[in-house]
Amino acid sequence: MSEKTDAHEATPVATQDVSALCEAVRCASRVCARGASTKLPCAEGTATVLDLTKLSGVIDYQPTEFVIQVWAGTPVRAVQMLLAEHGQYLPFDPLLIEQGATIGGTVAANANGPERYRYGGVRDFIIGVHFIDGEGHHLAGGGKVVKNAAGFDFPKLLVGSRGRLGVITDVTFKVFPKPEAYATLRLTCAHLAEALNMLPKLTNCPYDLNAVDVVAEAERECVELRVRVGGLRGGLAARMDRVRALVGGGEIVSGEDEETLWREAREFTWLPKGACVVKVPLTPARIPALDAQLRGYARRYSVGGTVAWIAAEDIGAIDALLRAQDLPGLVMLRSLQEPRIGARLPNPFAERVKAALDPHNKFGDL
Amino acid sequence: MSLGAFLAALQRYLPADRILSHPAALAAYESDALTAFRQRPLAVAVPETQDEVIATVRLCHQHRMPFVARGSGTSLSGGSLPVKDGIVIALNRLNRILKVDITQRFAVVEAGVINLDITRAVAHSGLLFAPDPSSQPICTIGGNIAFNSGGAHCLKYGMTSNHILGLKVVLPDGEVAHLGSESLENVDADWVGLFVGSEGLFGIALEATVRLLPKPETYRTLLAAYRSMEAAGDTVSAIIASGLLPGALEIMDNLSIQAAEAAVKAGYPTDAAALLIVELEGERAQVEAEWERLQVIIERSRPYLVKVAQTEEERLKIWKGRKSAFSAVGRLSSDYIVQDGVVPRRRLGEALARIDQLSAKWGIRVANVFHAGDGNLHPLIMFDGRQPGALERAEALAGEIIDLCIELGGSITGEHGVGMEKRRYMPRQFGQVDLEAMQRLRRAIDPLELANRGKVFPEGEPPALHHVGPHPLERAGVISRE
Ligand SMILES: Cc1cc2nc3c(=O)[nH]c(=O)nc-3n(C[C@H](O)[C@H](O)[C@H](O)COP(=O)(O)OP(=O)(O)OC[C@H]3O[C@@H](n4cnc5c(N)ncnc54)[C@H](O)[C@@H]3O)c2cc1C
């Protein structure tokens, strides 16, 4: 979950032995769990880093059950490859796979990609978890069946917890059959407003769309609308024609070119060199006001306009901007500072949960 | 604390006609849909606004008064059963739809809004609220949130939790918290995800921001009748393995088929050993392609009869039979308990065969109607509560079914919650450390354990004692039966 080790850091605890990790949490005053270092930094002043990449591999996978349990340090790529052998996938479209993102980091950072649009995010697919709380207890939540109402929903709680509530050791997901084929409609719009006008047409129509993104570049007025559709091969062409008719034009791409478009989004290869990316959850109606302040930044409005990704080097400026607009933000990639920026409201529920799971604040402030 | 002082204080916030304390008025609140348990509360408060709920909760906190939130009281696990020395906060009048945003596909509703009323309010624009428990014409969104309720269409789009974006809640000491937002995305831990499914132990949900989905363009629904339960179960496995993702996959056994047919004349073949309902939904071109694939699988599975819904009317008729199954079984038997354990899907056949054996062993009729696509069983255990010992025997059988689900790697409850009924089984599903962590969490949120006290967590009674004599809760004077 961290970006880089800082100079003063002691040797990380790296082991396959969960009880040794629990012991490390018990003994330390400050703990940071780290996956492949693709997304988030460790909190400042961390005494003990737990390197989870050794805690890797598949624990249980029954393809006919559409459920998979893996250790937290397992690379997402390995999981996706295994699932693909059986025509299955993680539908939330995990990020930074090629850069080595791990399953635990993906859950802790709530790292959903554009295809989250179709069936939901990490929260909608996680069904079980084991994690170490701030007192070194190894705890279980959820289970291995797709429907389960017993006990508090620890699996969901840990989604987006950024290591601040516990150290995730393994995760169980439900998975889905992978679409046989994909196609994408690309439409250039002269202005963002034009693309935004198109959004409700797409998001409210009864067509099954896999992703709806708007791509805006730093120095240009025009933006590109991208609509991804997936499913059985038969019927796909007809479905794409309907999407094109709905938005009144555009180019349909498929095959490798199409793959590349979404790979670029998932791997953030569109970021200028050295830039961080800020994730901003919002609703489409909030986009115009935010975007008015973002000329000069490369940015994307993804998941039907419910999340903005902003490429930025000066995080302070974005922080101020988000606060002014009462929007929250999360800095990901290449940043060593506290990732949670923008607006925050006091949350007494969160404080109480934190006090129960991490009473000595070993994992850092929420 | 005196009840009189509490009620007098409550009158500062609620008019007298919305504070019930006469035995006759309290009778309606004595139990939920698990009627085997009854407990008269000290009083019932009926707030109509969020401020009234908050004031009531604050007063409860001041007076150390335990409270149980109640929606429509359709819980099947005793979740809304009152506690002996506490009050009920009835939320069905807190039922305003505060905002409907069609363009951005969400609605903000108060907790007492009826599930189906959300869909009714947005249907004109082609949207719907996806979670569809069979009780949807009466149950409230607050109850759905407390239990993370499901329905027949969970396979593809998940349960209640997957459709809640934000919550406004009052914690058990009266503090108000806002969780989540209007967006699908999030940059903090999933507080909404934790609150949903907490069975009223974390406080009261006041309002929810719910996600709306476009109504599927088309449905294709079929009914296949089999001579054996195994054949139906195997067909479910084959459909899932083929890569299809139906909107719903339901199975009913002969007893529930007969009951449903007698009750609503759904056109089910009453001689079938098992009936499989498959519904594909989505965009027309995709559904047509899926339908072709489904036909092949169904044909190979050798049903002795297949009915395809040709019109929306016929489709609704198929669903009417399925959704009325619980109440229909109620006509066959004066009393019944519904279990809702879950097993891994590939072990459904095994689970059903063993339930059959258990039913024979105890000499108790069990009807099975269940969400086959998610492995969520619903055995309906029938008994006559007037016969001495019948409830205990039915509960003992229920316990063996729950054990079976755990043994097969599943869960004690898929959607009805632990409530009062299944709390003694929690230690069989979770380890001691896990339960202690849940307790710590609960006490961090509610140190006085005022909110829904006595539910979910086992309370010291050795489970074995339960098999003979009165229910341990009755012995403890917590509940009684009529
Ligand atoms: C015929 C029938 C069919 C059913 N079918 C299904 C089904 O298909 N799927 C399914 O999942 N369930 C089903 N149920 C069970 C039941 O309908 C659900 O559990 C439903 O969500 C309960 O809603 P309610 O408003 O009746 O809640 P209640 O029974 O009043 O309360 C349920 C629980 O929620 C708590 N609660 C209520 N409101 C709030 C609030 N605002 N904040 C916090 N806690 C609150 C209560 O304290 C209690 O613990 C069925 C029940 C019946 C009787």
Side-chain angles (χ1 to χ4, degrees), chain A residues 65 112 116 123-124 140 148-149 180 203-204 208 242 279 282-283 306 340 352, chain B residues 102 104-105 161-162 173 175 183-185 188 190 217 283 293 345-346 411 413 434:
Chain A
E65 196 63 33
N112 306 306
R116 170 214 206 292
R123 75 184 305 267
D124 302 296
N148 188 353
E180 233 172 56
T203 57
N204 285 37
D208 296 331
R242 292 217 301 175
K279 170 183 177 178
L282 37 50
T283 57
T306 59
R340 182 66 175 80
R352 295 178 200 194
Chain B
I102 297 294
Q104 306 194 83
R105 280 211 272 112
S161 196
N162 307 100
D173 58 1
E175 199 168 354
S183 177
L184 287 178
E185 269 296 342
D188 293 307
D190 195 344
E217 184 178 28
E283 197 177 345
R293 191 178 281 192
R345 295 181 268 221
R346 67 185 185 286
S411 168
T413 170
D434 307 324

mmCIF file of all heavy atoms in Angstrom, chain A residues 65 112 116 123-124 140 148-149 180 203-204 208 242 279 282-283 306 340 352, chain B residues 102 104-105 161-162 173 175 183-185 188 190 217 283 293 345-346 411 413 434:
data_model
loop_
_atom_site.group_PDB
_atom_site.id
_atom_site.type_symbol
_atom_site.label_atom_id
_atom_site.label_comp_id
_atom_site.label_asym_id
_atom_site.label_seq_id
_atom_site.Cartn_x
_atom_site.Cartn_y
_atom_site.Cartn_z
ATOM 1 N N GLU A 65 -17.697 -22.813 -8.399
ATOM 2 C CA GLU A 65 -18.340 -22.065 -7.316
ATOM 3 C C GLU A 65 -18.306 -20.559 -7.582
ATOM 4 O O GLU A 65 -19.013 -19.786 -6.958
ATOM 5 C CB GLU A 65 -17.614 -22.396 -6.012
ATOM 6 C CG GLU A 65 -18.333 -22.026 -4.750
ATOM 7 C CD GLU A 65 -19.651 -22.775 -4.562
ATOM 8 O OE1 GLU A 65 -19.751 -23.946 -4.980
ATOM 9 O OE2 GLU A 65 -20.580 -22.172 -4.027
ATOM 10 N N ASN A 112 -10.837 0.612 -7.834
ATOM 11 C CA ASN A 112 -11.725 0.165 -8.908
ATOM 12 C C ASN A 112 -11.441 0.896 -10.200
ATOM 13 O O ASN A 112 -11.174 2.088 -10.176
ATOM 14 C CB ASN A 112 -13.180 0.462 -8.542
ATOM 15 C CG ASN A 112 -13.576 -0.107 -7.208
ATOM 16 O OD1 ASN A 112 -13.415 -1.295 -6.981
ATOM 17 N ND2 ASN A 112 -14.067 0.747 -6.314
ATOM 18 N N ARG A 116 -15.999 -0.881 -13.274
ATOM 19 C CA ARG A 116 -16.796 -0.909 -12.061
ATOM 20 C C ARG A 116 -18.224 -0.480 -12.369
ATOM 21 O O ARG A 116 -19.169 -0.833 -11.673
ATOM 22 C CB ARG A 116 -16.177 0.069 -11.056
ATOM 23 C CG ARG A 116 -17.048 0.287 -9.891
ATOM 24 C CD ARG A 116 -16.967 1.665 -9.334
ATOM 25 N NE ARG A 116 -17.310 1.645 -7.936
ATOM 26 C CZ ARG A 116 -18.526 1.380 -7.462
ATOM 27 N NH1 ARG A 116 -19.518 1.135 -8.281
ATOM 28 N NH2 ARG A 116 -18.754 1.365 -6.181
ATOM 29 N N ARG A 123 -16.244 -3.435 -3.068
ATOM 30 C CA ARG A 123 -17.237 -3.679 -2.015
ATOM 31 C C ARG A 123 -18.332 -4.644 -2.450
ATOM 32 O O ARG A 123 -18.940 -5.315 -1.632
ATOM 33 C CB ARG A 123 -17.869 -2.354 -1.554
ATOM 34 C CG ARG A 123 -18.879 -1.781 -2.526
ATOM 35 C CD ARG A 123 -19.413 -0.420 -2.083
ATOM 36 N NE ARG A 123 -19.988 -0.408 -0.760
ATOM 37 C CZ ARG A 123 -21.307 -0.594 -0.505
ATOM 38 N NH1 ARG A 123 -22.155 -0.798 -1.482
ATOM 39 N NH2 ARG A 123 -21.756 -0.542 0.730
ATOM 40 N N ASP A 124 -18.599 -4.665 -3.723
ATOM 41 C CA ASP A 124 -19.684 -5.503 -4.208
ATOM 42 C C ASP A 124 -19.242 -6.936 -4.509
ATOM 43 O O ASP A 124 -20.075 -7.787 -4.814
ATOM 44 C CB ASP A 124 -20.309 -4.860 -5.452
ATOM 45 C CG ASP A 124 -20.833 -3.458 -5.148
ATOM 46 O OD1 ASP A 124 -21.760 -3.362 -4.325
ATOM 47 O OD2 ASP A 124 -20.293 -2.472 -5.678
ATOM 48 N N ALA A 140 -11.618 -13.009 11.565
ATOM 49 C CA ALA A 140 -12.312 -13.421 10.350
ATOM 50 C C ALA A 140 -13.597 -12.640 10.210
ATOM 51 O O ALA A 140 -14.267 -12.346 11.207
ATOM 52 C CB ALA A 140 -12.627 -14.914 10.418
ATOM 53 N N ASN A 148 -24.424 -13.894 2.728
ATOM 54 C CA ASN A 148 -24.079 -14.192 4.108
ATOM 55 C C ASN A 148 -24.462 -12.999 4.970
ATOM 56 O O ASN A 148 -23.893 -11.929 4.834
ATOM 57 C CB ASN A 148 -22.566 -14.444 4.178
ATOM 58 C CG ASN A 148 -22.123 -14.942 5.515
ATOM 59 O OD1 ASN A 148 -22.896 -14.992 6.473
ATOM 60 N ND2 ASN A 148 -20.867 -15.326 5.593
ATOM 61 N N ALA A 149 -25.426 -13.180 5.853
ATOM 62 C CA ALA A 149 -25.869 -12.054 6.682
ATOM 63 C C ALA A 149 -25.415 -12.207 8.129
ATOM 64 O O ALA A 149 -25.859 -11.469 8.987
ATOM 65 C CB ALA A 149 -27.392 -11.925 6.614
ATOM 66 N N GLU A 180 -17.285 -12.381 -23.179
ATOM 67 C CA GLU A 180 -16.594 -13.060 -24.272
ATOM 68 C C GLU A 180 -15.877 -12.069 -25.168
ATOM 69 O O GLU A 180 -14.806 -12.338 -25.691
ATOM 70 C CB GLU A 180 -17.676 -13.742 -25.117
ATOM 71 C CG GLU A 180 -17.484 -15.188 -25.368
ATOM 72 C CD GLU A 180 -18.731 -15.737 -26.046
ATOM 73 O OE1 GLU A 180 -19.158 -15.229 -27.120
ATOM 74 O OE2 GLU A 180 -19.282 -16.685 -25.479
ATOM 75 N N THR A 203 -26.480 6.635 -19.058
ATOM 76 C CA THR A 203 -26.588 5.976 -17.759
ATOM 77 C C THR A 203 -28.028 5.597 -17.422
ATOM 78 O O THR A 203 -28.245 4.740 -16.578
ATOM 79 C CB THR A 203 -26.028 6.869 -16.626
ATOM 80 O OG1 THR A 203 -26.730 8.106 -16.640
ATOM 81 C CG2 THR A 203 -24.549 7.138 -16.818
ATOM 82 N N ASN A 204 -29.006 6.227 -18.066
ATOM 83 C CA ASN A 204 -30.392 5.896 -17.760
ATOM 84 C C ASN A 204 -31.049 4.992 -18.793
ATOM 85 O O ASN A 204 -32.207 4.646 -18.647
ATOM 86 C CB ASN A 204 -31.226 7.175 -17.607
ATOM 87 C CG ASN A 204 -30.951 7.864 -16.297
ATOM 88 O OD1 ASN A 204 -29.810 7.881 -15.841
ATOM 89 N ND2 ASN A 204 -31.974 8.399 -15.672
ATOM 90 N N ASP A 208 -26.977 -2.526 -21.481
ATOM 91 C CA ASP A 208 -25.998 -2.962 -20.490
ATOM 92 C C ASP A 208 -24.608 -2.477 -20.897
ATOM 93 O O ASP A 208 -23.953 -3.062 -21.749
ATOM 94 C CB ASP A 208 -26.021 -4.486 -20.360
ATOM 95 C CG ASP A 208 -27.366 -4.962 -19.828
ATOM 96 O OD1 ASP A 208 -28.006 -4.197 -19.075
ATOM 97 O OD2 ASP A 208 -27.788 -6.078 -20.175
ATOM 98 N N ARG A 242 -26.671 0.334 -31.568
ATOM 99 C CA ARG A 242 -27.676 1.064 -30.780
ATOM 100 C C ARG A 242 -27.030 2.167 -29.939
ATOM 101 O O ARG A 242 -27.581 3.245 -29.783
ATOM 102 C CB ARG A 242 -28.421 0.093 -29.868
ATOM 103 C CG ARG A 242 -29.287 -0.879 -30.634
ATOM 104 C CD ARG A 242 -30.560 -1.177 -29.913
ATOM 105 N NE ARG A 242 -30.317 -1.737 -28.600
ATOM 106 C CZ ARG A 242 -31.298 -1.992 -27.741
ATOM 107 N NH1 ARG A 242 -32.544 -1.730 -28.037
ATOM 108 N NH2 ARG A 242 -31.037 -2.517 -26.570
ATOM 109 N N LYS A 279 -8.043 10.893 -6.821
ATOM 110 C CA LYS A 279 -9.363 10.304 -7.047
ATOM 111 C C LYS A 279 -10.400 11.136 -6.304
ATOM 112 O O LYS A 279 -10.243 11.401 -5.108
ATOM 113 C CB LYS A 279 -9.363 8.876 -6.520
ATOM 114 C CG LYS A 279 -10.720 8.207 -6.474
ATOM 115 C CD LYS A 279 -10.607 6.815 -5.868
ATOM 116 C CE LYS A 279 -11.984 6.169 -5.751
ATOM 117 N NZ LYS A 279 -11.895 4.801 -5.218
ATOM 118 N N LEU A 282 -17.706 11.818 -6.884
ATOM 119 C CA LEU A 282 -18.683 12.904 -7.013
ATOM 120 C C LEU A 282 -19.889 12.394 -7.770
ATOM 121 O O LEU A 282 -20.025 11.185 -7.960
ATOM 122 C CB LEU A 282 -18.060 14.133 -7.701
ATOM 123 C CG LEU A 282 -17.046 13.991 -8.835
ATOM 124 C CD1 LEU A 282 -17.508 13.033 -9.926
ATOM 125 C CD2 LEU A 282 -16.710 15.311 -9.458
ATOM 126 N N THR A 283 -20.762 13.306 -8.143
ATOM 127 C CA THR A 283 -21.858 12.921 -9.025
ATOM 128 C C THR A 283 -21.750 13.797 -10.265
ATOM 129 O O THR A 283 -21.103 14.852 -10.224
ATOM 130 C CB THR A 283 -23.238 13.127 -8.361
ATOM 131 O OG1 THR A 283 -23.350 14.501 -7.969
ATOM 132 C CG2 THR A 283 -23.404 12.244 -7.143
ATOM 133 N N THR A 306 -19.153 9.418 -11.921
ATOM 134 C CA THR A 306 -19.227 9.336 -10.462
ATOM 135 C C THR A 306 -17.846 9.346 -9.804
ATOM 136 O O THR A 306 -17.747 9.281 -8.589
ATOM 137 C CB THR A 306 -20.000 8.093 -9.984
ATOM 138 O OG1 THR A 306 -19.337 6.933 -10.488
ATOM 139 C CG2 THR A 306 -21.434 8.127 -10.471
ATOM 140 N N ARG A 340 -5.123 11.331 2.029
ATOM 141 C CA ARG A 340 -6.516 11.775 2.081
ATOM 142 C C ARG A 340 -6.565 13.292 2.125
ATOM 143 O O ARG A 340 -6.133 13.923 3.083
ATOM 144 C CB ARG A 340 -7.142 11.152 3.328
ATOM 145 C CG ARG A 340 -8.594 11.442 3.558
ATOM 146 C CD ARG A 340 -9.514 10.833 2.492
ATOM 147 N NE ARG A 340 -10.900 11.094 2.900
ATOM 148 C CZ ARG A 340 -11.504 12.264 2.712
ATOM 149 N NH1 ARG A 340 -10.880 13.245 2.095
ATOM 150 N NH2 ARG A 340 -12.728 12.443 3.131
ATOM 151 N N ARG A 352 -15.555 5.705 16.456
ATOM 152 C CA ARG A 352 -15.821 4.605 17.390
ATOM 153 C C ARG A 352 -15.316 3.282 16.823
ATOM 154 O O ARG A 352 -14.804 2.432 17.555
ATOM 155 C CB ARG A 352 -17.314 4.519 17.700
ATOM 156 C CG ARG A 352 -17.803 5.754 18.443
ATOM 157 C CD ARG A 352 -19.283 5.700 18.703
ATOM 158 N NE ARG A 352 -19.781 7.053 18.962
ATOM 159 C CZ ARG A 352 -20.965 7.325 19.469
ATOM 160 N NH1 ARG A 352 -21.795 6.344 19.772
ATOM 161 N NH2 ARG A 352 -21.340 8.563 19.662
ATOM 162 N N ILE B 102 -33.645 11.550 -10.883
ATOM 163 C CA ILE B 102 -33.717 10.575 -11.969
ATOM 164 C C ILE B 102 -32.435 10.621 -12.796
ATOM 165 O O ILE B 102 -31.851 9.587 -13.121
ATOM 166 C CB ILE B 102 -34.943 10.872 -12.871
ATOM 167 C CG1 ILE B 102 -36.244 10.714 -12.066
ATOM 168 C CG2 ILE B 102 -34.946 9.968 -14.099
ATOM 169 C CD1 ILE B 102 -36.551 9.325 -11.589
ATOM 170 N N GLN B 104 -29.432 11.471 -12.093
ATOM 171 C CA GLN B 104 -28.239 10.897 -11.470
ATOM 172 C C GLN B 104 -28.518 9.543 -10.809
ATOM 173 O O GLN B 104 -27.666 8.985 -10.138
ATOM 174 C CB GLN B 104 -27.637 11.880 -10.468
ATOM 175 C CG GLN B 104 -27.379 13.234 -11.114
ATOM 176 C CD GLN B 104 -26.485 14.097 -10.262
ATOM 177 O OE1 GLN B 104 -25.268 13.963 -10.302
ATOM 178 N NE2 GLN B 104 -27.064 14.962 -9.465
ATOM 179 N N ARG B 105 -29.726 9.059 -10.986
ATOM 180 C CA ARG B 105 -30.100 7.721 -10.554
ATOM 181 C C ARG B 105 -29.895 7.449 -9.075
ATOM 182 O O ARG B 105 -29.271 6.461 -8.689
ATOM 183 C CB ARG B 105 -29.344 6.668 -11.377
ATOM 184 C CG ARG B 105 -29.957 6.430 -12.742
ATOM 185 C CD ARG B 105 -29.751 5.017 -13.215
ATOM 186 N NE ARG B 105 -28.533 4.766 -13.929
ATOM 187 C CZ ARG B 105 -27.549 4.031 -13.481
ATOM 188 N NH1 ARG B 105 -27.603 3.496 -12.273
ATOM 189 N NH2 ARG B 105 -26.491 3.837 -14.219
ATOM 190 N N SER B 161 -27.186 -4.010 0.587
ATOM 191 C CA SER B 161 -25.956 -3.249 0.792
ATOM 192 C C SER B 161 -25.367 -2.724 -0.519
ATOM 193 O O SER B 161 -24.792 -1.644 -0.552
ATOM 194 C CB SER B 161 -24.921 -4.122 1.497
ATOM 195 O OG SER B 161 -23.901 -3.333 2.024
ATOM 196 N N ASN B 162 -25.505 -3.482 -1.566
ATOM 197 C CA ASN B 162 -24.938 -3.088 -2.842
ATOM 198 C C ASN B 162 -25.702 -1.922 -3.471
ATOM 199 O O ASN B 162 -25.275 -1.390 -4.497
ATOM 200 C CB ASN B 162 -24.912 -4.285 -3.803
ATOM 201 C CG ASN B 162 -24.212 -5.486 -3.171
ATOM 202 O OD1 ASN B 162 -24.864 -6.392 -2.685
ATOM 203 N ND2 ASN B 162 -22.904 -5.456 -3.117
ATOM 204 N N ASP B 173 -26.365 6.699 21.356
ATOM 205 C CA ASP B 173 -26.380 7.743 22.382
ATOM 206 C C ASP B 173 -26.958 9.049 21.838
ATOM 207 O O ASP B 173 -26.883 10.095 22.473
ATOM 208 C CB ASP B 173 -24.966 7.982 22.925
ATOM 209 C CG ASP B 173 -23.991 8.377 21.833
ATOM 210 O OD1 ASP B 173 -24.421 8.472 20.665
ATOM 211 O OD2 ASP B 173 -22.806 8.587 22.136
ATOM 212 N N GLU B 175 -26.058 10.661 19.037
ATOM 213 C CA GLU B 175 -25.226 11.421 18.107
ATOM 214 C C GLU B 175 -25.586 11.010 16.672
ATOM 215 O O GLU B 175 -25.867 9.844 16.402
ATOM 216 C CB GLU B 175 -23.742 11.156 18.383
ATOM 217 C CG GLU B 175 -22.870 12.229 17.797
ATOM 218 C CD GLU B 175 -21.412 12.162 18.282
ATOM 219 O OE1 GLU B 175 -21.096 11.354 19.159
ATOM 220 O OE2 GLU B 175 -20.610 12.921 17.751
ATOM 221 N N SER B 183 -22.319 9.516 -4.324
ATOM 222 C CA SER B 183 -21.514 8.931 -5.398
ATOM 223 C C SER B 183 -21.428 7.414 -5.263
ATOM 224 O O SER B 183 -21.603 6.862 -4.184
ATOM 225 C CB SER B 183 -20.095 9.517 -5.358
ATOM 226 O OG SER B 183 -19.286 8.910 -6.334
ATOM 227 N N LEU B 184 -21.129 6.746 -6.363
ATOM 228 C CA LEU B 184 -20.878 5.305 -6.320
ATOM 229 C C LEU B 184 -19.524 5.030 -5.692
ATOM 230 O O LEU B 184 -19.262 3.947 -5.209
ATOM 231 C CB LEU B 184 -20.829 4.727 -7.744
ATOM 232 C CG LEU B 184 -22.106 4.577 -8.536
ATOM 233 C CD1 LEU B 184 -21.757 4.041 -9.925
ATOM 234 C CD2 LEU B 184 -23.045 3.613 -7.842
ATOM 235 N N GLU B 185 -18.642 6.018 -5.756
ATOM 236 C CA GLU B 185 -17.265 5.799 -5.306
ATOM 237 C C GLU B 185 -17.026 6.422 -3.945
ATOM 238 O O GLU B 185 -17.858 7.142 -3.410
ATOM 239 C CB GLU B 185 -16.281 6.339 -6.355
ATOM 240 C CG GLU B 185 -15.871 5.287 -7.380
ATOM 241 C CD GLU B 185 -15.096 4.120 -6.776
ATOM 242 O OE1 GLU B 185 -14.576 4.240 -5.658
ATOM 243 O OE2 GLU B 185 -15.013 3.061 -7.419
ATOM 244 N N ASP B 188 -12.956 6.665 1.617
ATOM 245 C CA ASP B 188 -12.742 6.268 3.008
ATOM 246 C C ASP B 188 -13.158 4.817 3.179
ATOM 247 O O ASP B 188 -13.683 4.212 2.256
ATOM 248 C CB ASP B 188 -13.576 7.168 3.935
ATOM 249 C CG ASP B 188 -13.072 8.605 3.929
ATOM 250 O OD1 ASP B 188 -11.872 8.791 4.153
ATOM 251 O OD2 ASP B 188 -13.876 9.524 3.676
ATOM 252 N N ASP B 190 -15.401 1.730 4.218
ATOM 253 C CA ASP B 190 -16.794 1.606 3.794
ATOM 254 C C ASP B 190 -17.727 1.570 5.004
ATOM 255 O O ASP B 190 -18.226 0.517 5.399
ATOM 256 C CB ASP B 190 -16.942 0.336 2.953
ATOM 257 C CG ASP B 190 -18.244 0.308 2.184
ATOM 258 O OD1 ASP B 190 -19.151 1.094 2.510
ATOM 259 O OD2 ASP B 190 -18.357 -0.509 1.260
ATOM 260 N N GLU B 217 -34.247 -4.030 -20.070
ATOM 261 C CA GLU B 217 -35.043 -3.825 -21.277
ATOM 262 C C GLU B 217 -35.992 -4.995 -21.509
ATOM 263 O O GLU B 217 -37.131 -4.828 -21.932
ATOM 264 C CB GLU B 217 -34.107 -3.687 -22.485
ATOM 265 C CG GLU B 217 -34.816 -3.388 -23.763
ATOM 266 C CD GLU B 217 -33.837 -3.205 -24.917
ATOM 267 O OE1 GLU B 217 -32.725 -3.792 -24.886
ATOM 268 O OE2 GLU B 217 -34.178 -2.481 -25.849
ATOM 269 N N GLU B 283 -30.313 -6.367 -21.791
ATOM 270 C CA GLU B 283 -30.506 -5.793 -23.107
ATOM 271 C C GLU B 283 -30.925 -6.880 -24.090
ATOM 272 O O GLU B 283 -30.409 -7.990 -24.060
ATOM 273 C CB GLU B 283 -29.172 -5.182 -23.531
ATOM 274 C CG GLU B 283 -29.313 -4.231 -24.654
ATOM 275 C CD GLU B 283 -27.984 -3.589 -25.006
ATOM 276 O OE1 GLU B 283 -27.038 -3.675 -24.194
ATOM 277 O OE2 GLU B 283 -27.904 -3.036 -26.096
ATOM 278 N N ARG B 293 -28.320 -20.109 -25.568
ATOM 279 C CA ARG B 293 -27.433 -20.957 -24.787
ATOM 280 C C ARG B 293 -28.209 -21.673 -23.661
ATOM 281 O O ARG B 293 -28.000 -22.855 -23.400
ATOM 282 C CB ARG B 293 -26.312 -20.098 -24.196
ATOM 283 C CG ARG B 293 -25.196 -20.902 -23.593
ATOM 284 C CD ARG B 293 -24.085 -20.022 -23.074
ATOM 285 N NE ARG B 293 -23.208 -19.540 -24.134
ATOM 286 C CZ ARG B 293 -22.038 -18.941 -23.891
ATOM 287 N NH1 ARG B 293 -21.625 -18.754 -22.652
ATOM 288 N NH2 ARG B 293 -21.279 -18.534 -24.882
ATOM 289 N N ARG B 345 -22.683 -23.377 -3.680
ATOM 290 C CA ARG B 345 -23.645 -23.783 -4.694
ATOM 291 C C ARG B 345 -23.448 -25.222 -5.160
ATOM 292 O O ARG B 345 -24.403 -25.928 -5.427
ATOM 293 C CB ARG B 345 -23.551 -22.865 -5.906
ATOM 294 C CG ARG B 345 -23.941 -21.459 -5.574
ATOM 295 C CD ARG B 345 -23.851 -20.592 -6.789
ATOM 296 N NE ARG B 345 -22.558 -19.966 -6.894
ATOM 297 C CZ ARG B 345 -22.380 -18.692 -7.269
ATOM 298 N NH1 ARG B 345 -23.414 -17.961 -7.586
ATOM 299 N NH2 ARG B 345 -21.185 -18.178 -7.345
ATOM 300 N N ARG B 346 -22.168 -25.638 -5.222
ATOM 301 C CA ARG B 346 -21.931 -26.974 -5.746
ATOM 302 C C ARG B 346 -22.388 -28.052 -4.764
ATOM 303 O O ARG B 346 -22.416 -29.223 -5.093
ATOM 304 C CB ARG B 346 -20.448 -27.142 -6.095
ATOM 305 C CG ARG B 346 -19.534 -27.129 -4.899
ATOM 306 C CD ARG B 346 -18.067 -27.171 -5.303
ATOM 307 N NE ARG B 346 -17.200 -27.269 -4.145
ATOM 308 C CZ ARG B 346 -16.931 -26.275 -3.302
ATOM 309 N NH1 ARG B 346 -17.484 -25.086 -3.494
ATOM 310 N NH2 ARG B 346 -16.138 -26.451 -2.268
ATOM 311 N N SER B 411 -23.114 -20.671 5.604
ATOM 312 C CA SER B 411 -23.425 -19.679 6.635
ATOM 313 C C SER B 411 -24.763 -20.005 7.285
ATOM 314 O O SER B 411 -25.634 -20.628 6.669
ATOM 315 C CB SER B 411 -23.491 -18.289 6.002
ATOM 316 O OG SER B 411 -24.052 -17.362 6.901
ATOM 317 N N THR B 413 -27.003 -17.822 8.045
ATOM 318 C CA THR B 413 -28.073 -16.994 7.477
ATOM 319 C C THR B 413 -27.607 -16.259 6.222
ATOM 320 O O THR B 413 -26.516 -15.692 6.191
ATOM 321 C CB THR B 413 -28.637 -15.983 8.506
ATOM 322 O OG1 THR B 413 -29.514 -15.057 7.829
ATOM 323 C CG2 THR B 413 -27.540 -15.194 9.210
ATOM 324 N N ASP B 434 -13.217 -13.806 17.049
ATOM 325 C CA ASP B 434 -14.011 -13.023 16.092
ATOM 326 C C ASP B 434 -15.242 -12.440 16.785
ATOM 327 O O ASP B 434 -15.585 -11.273 16.593
ATOM 328 C CB ASP B 434 -14.468 -13.897 14.920
ATOM 329 C CG ASP B 434 -13.304 -14.614 14.272
ATOM 330 O OD1 ASP B 434 -12.216 -14.010 14.199
ATOM 331 O OD2 ASP B 434 -13.467 -15.781 13.869
#
